[in-house]
Amino acid sequence: MRSRGQETTMLTVLSPIFALLAAATNALGTVMQRRAATVVPQSSGLRIGLMWDLLRTPVWLLGIGGVALSAMFQGAALATGALAVVQPLFMLELPFVLLLASVVFGHPLPRAGWLPVGSIGGGLCLALFAAAPTGGTLGIPAARWTAVLTCCLLAVAVLCSVAVRLPNGPARAACMGLAAAVSYSLTAALMKSSTAALGRQGMGAFFTAWQTYAFAALGVCALFLLENAMQSGPLVASQPALTLGDTLVSLALGVTLYGERLRGGWWLTLQVFGLALVAYGVTRLSRQHLVPAGM
């Protein structure tokens, strides 16, 4: 029989693997959805009919399949690891997206794009190694949930209000992408709580936990915001906002909501350096001449 320590070590290894698989499959879903968004009728507002048009587009359904598979991997990752570890690994979705999009849109990523891709991966690994998120609790008071939900939903409302006043373009896409990022981060936090109930008490507890229905509803809203972000402007504007926003908000939720701890002291220097490498990579990849046209 395995000891408790061996089981913990195995879960620690499995969590980032599941997170990487989630990032890769979500990147596939994102690229397919972006492809679909370019062929359906365009709109300058938050058009509900957009979803109906997309439902009749086969490539969009393929993208949704990737998103669904990603959600399963994400649930497994959150059930076996810390929120502050799992969600930052989703930042690797950005290079995955651009590499896959270079194939789908028929324009290979230039050589100049490989350095920022390596910068994102290396910087993220360094930042997570230096931060070494640990601890955390699943016993979250209702008052804390209320405060977090209020702050996050208010932020989404403000970002959407700003976005709808802007014309289609990078600024609007960035605002919508950031609104989707906050929604996805909160969805992950809720999912972690419900999957923990599933692991401890079984299916009954999972289906009676309010977090289960909250993350399902919020996930649909996040998807709606993401679709509008993709149609609001180029992927190089919405994707960095989505990727970086999801990572930073998830780190904050891991610490403030679940009580996960990050290393301090001189480790902060390495964390800042790692994040600087990530920021450099994202900034470089966000420049139009480094990515496929049409994205």
Side-chain angles (χ1 to χ4, degrees), residues 248-283:
L248 295 175
V249 174
S250 294
L251 278 171
L253 291 178
V255 173
T256 60
L257 186 62
Y258 283 100
E260 296 168 358
R261 297 183 298 276
L262 308 181
R263 285 198 289 202
W266 69 272
W267 289 103
L268 288 174
T269 304
L270 286 179
Q271 292 172 38
V272 171
F273 181 65
L275 290 175
L277 287 175
V278 170
Y280 165 78
V282 171
T283 301

Short mmCIF file of all heavy atoms in Angstrom, two decimals, residues 248-283:
data_model
loop_
_atom_site.label_atom_id
_atom_site.label_comp_id
_atom_site.label_asym_id
_atom_site.label_seq_id
_atom_site.Cartn_x
_atom_site.Cartn_y
_atom_site.Cartn_z
N LEU A 248 -3.18 36.34 -12.92
CA LEU A 248 -3.02 37.24 -11.79
C LEU A 248 -4.22 37.20 -10.86
O LEU A 248 -4.08 37.20 -9.62
CB LEU A 248 -2.78 38.66 -12.29
CG LEU A 248 -1.46 38.86 -13.05
CD1 LEU A 248 -1.37 40.27 -13.61
CD2 LEU A 248 -0.27 38.56 -12.14
N VAL A 249 -5.42 37.16 -11.42
CA VAL A 249 -6.62 37.09 -10.58
C VAL A 249 -6.67 35.76 -9.83
O VAL A 249 -7.04 35.71 -8.65
CB VAL A 249 -7.90 37.30 -11.43
CG1 VAL A 249 -9.15 37.07 -10.58
CG2 VAL A 249 -7.93 38.70 -12.01
N SER A 250 -6.28 34.69 -10.49
CA SER A 250 -6.28 33.37 -9.84
C SER A 250 -5.27 33.31 -8.69
O SER A 250 -5.54 32.71 -7.66
CB SER A 250 -5.98 32.27 -10.86
OG SER A 250 -7.02 32.19 -11.81
N LEU A 251 -4.09 33.92 -8.89
CA LEU A 251 -3.12 33.99 -7.80
C LEU A 251 -3.71 34.73 -6.61
O LEU A 251 -3.58 34.31 -5.45
CB LEU A 251 -1.84 34.69 -8.27
CG LEU A 251 -0.84 33.84 -9.04
CD1 LEU A 251 0.25 34.73 -9.64
CD2 LEU A 251 -0.21 32.79 -8.13
N ALA A 252 -4.39 35.84 -6.89
CA ALA A 252 -5.00 36.62 -5.82
C ALA A 252 -6.09 35.83 -5.11
O ALA A 252 -6.20 35.85 -3.88
CB ALA A 252 -5.57 37.92 -6.39
N LEU A 253 -6.90 35.10 -5.86
CA LEU A 253 -7.96 34.30 -5.26
C LEU A 253 -7.39 33.14 -4.45
O LEU A 253 -7.92 32.77 -3.40
CB LEU A 253 -8.91 33.77 -6.34
CG LEU A 253 -9.79 34.82 -7.05
CD1 LEU A 253 -10.65 34.14 -8.12
CD2 LEU A 253 -10.67 35.54 -6.04
N GLY A 254 -6.30 32.56 -4.96
CA GLY A 254 -5.67 31.46 -4.20
C GLY A 254 -5.21 31.91 -2.83
O GLY A 254 -5.37 31.20 -1.83
N VAL A 255 -4.65 33.12 -2.77
CA VAL A 255 -4.12 33.64 -1.50
C VAL A 255 -5.24 34.16 -0.61
O VAL A 255 -5.31 33.84 0.58
CB VAL A 255 -3.09 34.76 -1.78
CG1 VAL A 255 -2.67 35.44 -0.47
CG2 VAL A 255 -1.87 34.17 -2.47
N THR A 256 -6.15 34.98 -1.17
CA THR A 256 -7.17 35.63 -0.34
C THR A 256 -8.35 34.73 -0.01
O THR A 256 -8.93 34.83 1.07
CB THR A 256 -7.69 36.89 -1.05
OG1 THR A 256 -8.27 36.53 -2.31
CG2 THR A 256 -6.57 37.88 -1.28
N LEU A 257 -8.71 33.84 -0.94
CA LEU A 257 -9.89 33.00 -0.73
C LEU A 257 -9.53 31.67 -0.07
O LEU A 257 -10.13 31.28 0.93
CB LEU A 257 -10.59 32.75 -2.07
CG LEU A 257 -11.92 31.99 -2.04
CD1 LEU A 257 -12.96 32.76 -1.24
CD2 LEU A 257 -12.42 31.75 -3.46
N TYR A 258 -8.52 31.00 -0.62
CA TYR A 258 -8.15 29.67 -0.10
C TYR A 258 -7.00 29.70 0.89
O TYR A 258 -6.63 28.65 1.44
CB TYR A 258 -7.80 28.74 -1.28
CG TYR A 258 -9.03 28.25 -2.00
CD1 TYR A 258 -9.43 28.84 -3.20
CD2 TYR A 258 -9.80 27.21 -1.49
CE1 TYR A 258 -10.57 28.41 -3.87
CE2 TYR A 258 -10.93 26.77 -2.15
CZ TYR A 258 -11.31 27.36 -3.33
OH TYR A 258 -12.44 26.93 -3.97
N GLY A 259 -6.42 30.86 1.12
CA GLY A 259 -5.35 30.95 2.12
C GLY A 259 -4.06 30.26 1.71
O GLY A 259 -3.28 29.84 2.57
N GLU A 260 -3.81 30.13 0.39
CA GLU A 260 -2.56 29.54 -0.07
C GLU A 260 -1.41 30.51 0.17
O GLU A 260 -1.59 31.74 0.08
CB GLU A 260 -2.68 29.18 -1.56
CG GLU A 260 -3.74 28.11 -1.81
CD GLU A 260 -4.10 27.93 -3.27
OE1 GLU A 260 -3.55 28.65 -4.12
OE2 GLU A 260 -4.94 27.06 -3.58
N ARG A 261 -0.23 29.99 0.48
CA ARG A 261 0.90 30.83 0.86
C ARG A 261 1.98 30.79 -0.22
O ARG A 261 2.26 29.75 -0.80
CB ARG A 261 1.48 30.36 2.19
CG ARG A 261 0.50 30.48 3.36
CD ARG A 261 1.16 30.08 4.68
NE ARG A 261 1.59 28.68 4.67
CZ ARG A 261 0.80 27.66 4.96
NH1 ARG A 261 -0.47 27.87 5.26
NH2 ARG A 261 1.26 26.42 4.94
N LEU A 262 2.59 31.96 -0.45
CA LEU A 262 3.71 32.08 -1.39
C LEU A 262 4.98 32.40 -0.61
O LEU A 262 4.94 33.06 0.43
CB LEU A 262 3.44 33.20 -2.40
CG LEU A 262 2.11 33.15 -3.15
CD1 LEU A 262 2.02 34.33 -4.12
CD2 LEU A 262 1.94 31.84 -3.89
N ARG A 263 6.11 31.93 -1.12
CA ARG A 263 7.38 32.22 -0.44
C ARG A 263 7.72 33.70 -0.53
O ARG A 263 7.54 34.33 -1.56
CB ARG A 263 8.51 31.39 -1.04
CG ARG A 263 8.46 29.94 -0.62
CD ARG A 263 9.77 29.22 -0.85
NE ARG A 263 10.06 28.98 -2.25
CZ ARG A 263 10.89 28.03 -2.69
NH1 ARG A 263 11.49 27.22 -1.82
NH2 ARG A 263 11.13 27.87 -3.97
N GLY A 264 8.26 34.24 0.58
CA GLY A 264 8.66 35.64 0.61
C GLY A 264 10.17 35.78 0.68
O GLY A 264 10.92 34.90 0.25
N GLY A 265 10.64 36.90 1.25
CA GLY A 265 12.07 37.12 1.39
C GLY A 265 12.75 37.31 0.03
O GLY A 265 12.19 37.91 -0.89
N TRP A 266 13.97 36.77 -0.08
CA TRP A 266 14.73 36.95 -1.32
C TRP A 266 14.12 36.20 -2.49
O TRP A 266 14.44 36.50 -3.66
CB TRP A 266 16.18 36.52 -1.11
CG TRP A 266 16.37 35.04 -0.93
CD1 TRP A 266 16.31 34.35 0.24
CD2 TRP A 266 16.65 34.07 -1.95
NE1 TRP A 266 16.53 33.01 0.02
CE2 TRP A 266 16.74 32.81 -1.32
CE3 TRP A 266 16.82 34.15 -3.33
CZ2 TRP A 266 17.00 31.65 -2.02
CZ3 TRP A 266 17.08 32.98 -4.04
CH2 TRP A 266 17.17 31.75 -3.38
N TRP A 267 13.20 35.26 -2.21
CA TRP A 267 12.51 34.56 -3.30
C TRP A 267 11.66 35.52 -4.13
O TRP A 267 11.38 35.25 -5.30
CB TRP A 267 11.61 33.46 -2.74
CG TRP A 267 12.35 32.29 -2.19
CD1 TRP A 267 12.57 31.99 -0.87
CD2 TRP A 267 12.99 31.24 -2.93
NE1 TRP A 267 13.29 30.84 -0.74
CE2 TRP A 267 13.58 30.35 -1.99
CE3 TRP A 267 13.13 30.96 -4.29
CZ2 TRP A 267 14.28 29.21 -2.39
CZ3 TRP A 267 13.83 29.83 -4.68
CH2 TRP A 267 14.40 28.97 -3.73
N LEU A 268 11.27 36.64 -3.51
CA LEU A 268 10.47 37.62 -4.24
C LEU A 268 11.22 38.17 -5.46
O LEU A 268 10.63 38.49 -6.48
CB LEU A 268 10.08 38.78 -3.32
CG LEU A 268 9.02 38.45 -2.24
CD1 LEU A 268 8.85 39.64 -1.30
CD2 LEU A 268 7.69 38.10 -2.90
N THR A 269 12.55 38.26 -5.32
CA THR A 269 13.36 38.75 -6.45
C THR A 269 13.22 37.84 -7.65
O THR A 269 13.05 38.30 -8.80
CB THR A 269 14.83 38.86 -6.04
OG1 THR A 269 14.95 39.70 -4.88
CG2 THR A 269 15.68 39.43 -7.17
N LEU A 270 13.31 36.53 -7.41
CA LEU A 270 13.16 35.57 -8.51
C LEU A 270 11.73 35.59 -9.06
O LEU A 270 11.53 35.43 -10.28
CB LEU A 270 13.51 34.17 -8.02
CG LEU A 270 14.99 33.86 -7.80
CD1 LEU A 270 15.17 32.43 -7.29
CD2 LEU A 270 15.79 34.08 -9.08
N GLN A 271 10.75 35.76 -8.18
CA GLN A 271 9.37 35.82 -8.64
C GLN A 271 9.16 37.01 -9.57
O GLN A 271 8.55 36.89 -10.64
CB GLN A 271 8.42 35.92 -7.44
CG GLN A 271 8.39 34.66 -6.58
CD GLN A 271 7.60 34.87 -5.30
OE1 GLN A 271 6.58 35.55 -5.29
NE2 GLN A 271 8.06 34.29 -4.21
N VAL A 272 9.67 38.17 -9.17
CA VAL A 272 9.53 39.38 -9.99
C VAL A 272 10.27 39.21 -11.32
O VAL A 272 9.76 39.59 -12.38
CB VAL A 272 10.05 40.61 -9.23
CG1 VAL A 272 10.12 41.82 -10.15
CG2 VAL A 272 9.17 40.90 -8.02
N PHE A 273 11.47 38.62 -11.27
CA PHE A 273 12.24 38.41 -12.49
C PHE A 273 11.50 37.46 -13.43
O PHE A 273 11.43 37.68 -14.65
CB PHE A 273 13.62 37.85 -12.16
CG PHE A 273 14.50 37.63 -13.37
CD1 PHE A 273 14.91 38.70 -14.15
CD2 PHE A 273 14.90 36.35 -13.73
CE1 PHE A 273 15.70 38.50 -15.28
CE2 PHE A 273 15.69 36.14 -14.84
CZ PHE A 273 16.09 37.22 -15.62
N GLY A 274 10.94 36.39 -12.87
CA GLY A 274 10.18 35.45 -13.69
C GLY A 274 8.97 36.11 -14.33
O GLY A 274 8.70 35.91 -15.52
N LEU A 275 8.25 36.92 -13.56
CA LEU A 275 7.09 37.62 -14.11
C LEU A 275 7.51 38.64 -15.16
O LEU A 275 6.77 38.89 -16.12
CB LEU A 275 6.31 38.30 -12.98
CG LEU A 275 5.57 37.35 -12.03
CD1 LEU A 275 4.93 38.12 -10.89
CD2 LEU A 275 4.51 36.55 -12.78
N ALA A 276 8.70 39.25 -14.97
CA ALA A 276 9.20 40.19 -15.97
C ALA A 276 9.48 39.48 -17.29
O ALA A 276 9.19 40.02 -18.37
CB ALA A 276 10.47 40.88 -15.45
N LEU A 277 10.04 38.27 -17.21
CA LEU A 277 10.26 37.48 -18.43
C LEU A 277 8.94 37.14 -19.11
O LEU A 277 8.83 37.20 -20.34
CB LEU A 277 11.00 36.18 -18.09
CG LEU A 277 12.49 36.30 -17.73
CD1 LEU A 277 13.02 34.94 -17.30
CD2 LEU A 277 13.29 36.85 -18.91
N VAL A 278 7.94 36.80 -18.30
CA VAL A 278 6.62 36.50 -18.86
C VAL A 278 6.04 37.74 -19.53
O VAL A 278 5.51 37.66 -20.65
CB VAL A 278 5.68 36.00 -17.74
CG1 VAL A 278 4.24 35.92 -18.26
CG2 VAL A 278 6.12 34.64 -17.24
N ALA A 279 6.12 38.89 -18.85
CA ALA A 279 5.58 40.13 -19.41
C ALA A 279 6.28 40.48 -20.73
O ALA A 279 5.63 40.91 -21.69
CB ALA A 279 5.74 41.27 -18.41
N TYR A 280 7.60 40.28 -20.76
CA TYR A 280 8.34 40.54 -22.00
C TYR A 280 7.82 39.64 -23.12
O TYR A 280 7.57 40.09 -24.24
CB TYR A 280 9.83 40.29 -21.78
CG TYR A 280 10.62 40.17 -23.08
CD1 TYR A 280 10.96 41.29 -23.81
CD2 TYR A 280 10.98 38.90 -23.57
CE1 TYR A 280 11.65 41.18 -25.02
CE2 TYR A 280 11.67 38.79 -24.77
CZ TYR A 280 12.00 39.92 -25.49
OH TYR A 280 12.68 39.80 -26.67
N GLY A 281 7.68 38.34 -22.82
CA GLY A 281 7.23 37.40 -23.83
C GLY A 281 5.84 37.73 -24.35
O GLY A 281 5.59 37.71 -25.56
N VAL A 282 4.92 38.05 -23.42
CA VAL A 282 3.55 38.37 -23.82
C VAL A 282 3.52 39.64 -24.66
O VAL A 282 2.82 39.73 -25.67
CB VAL A 282 2.64 38.52 -22.58
CG1 VAL A 282 1.28 39.07 -22.97
CG2 VAL A 282 2.48 37.16 -21.90
N THR A 283 4.30 40.65 -24.24
CA THR A 283 4.35 41.91 -24.99
C THR A 283 4.87 41.70 -26.40
O THR A 283 4.32 42.22 -27.38
CB THR A 283 5.24 42.93 -24.26
OG1 THR A 283 4.72 43.16 -22.95
CG2 THR A 283 5.29 44.24 -25.02
#
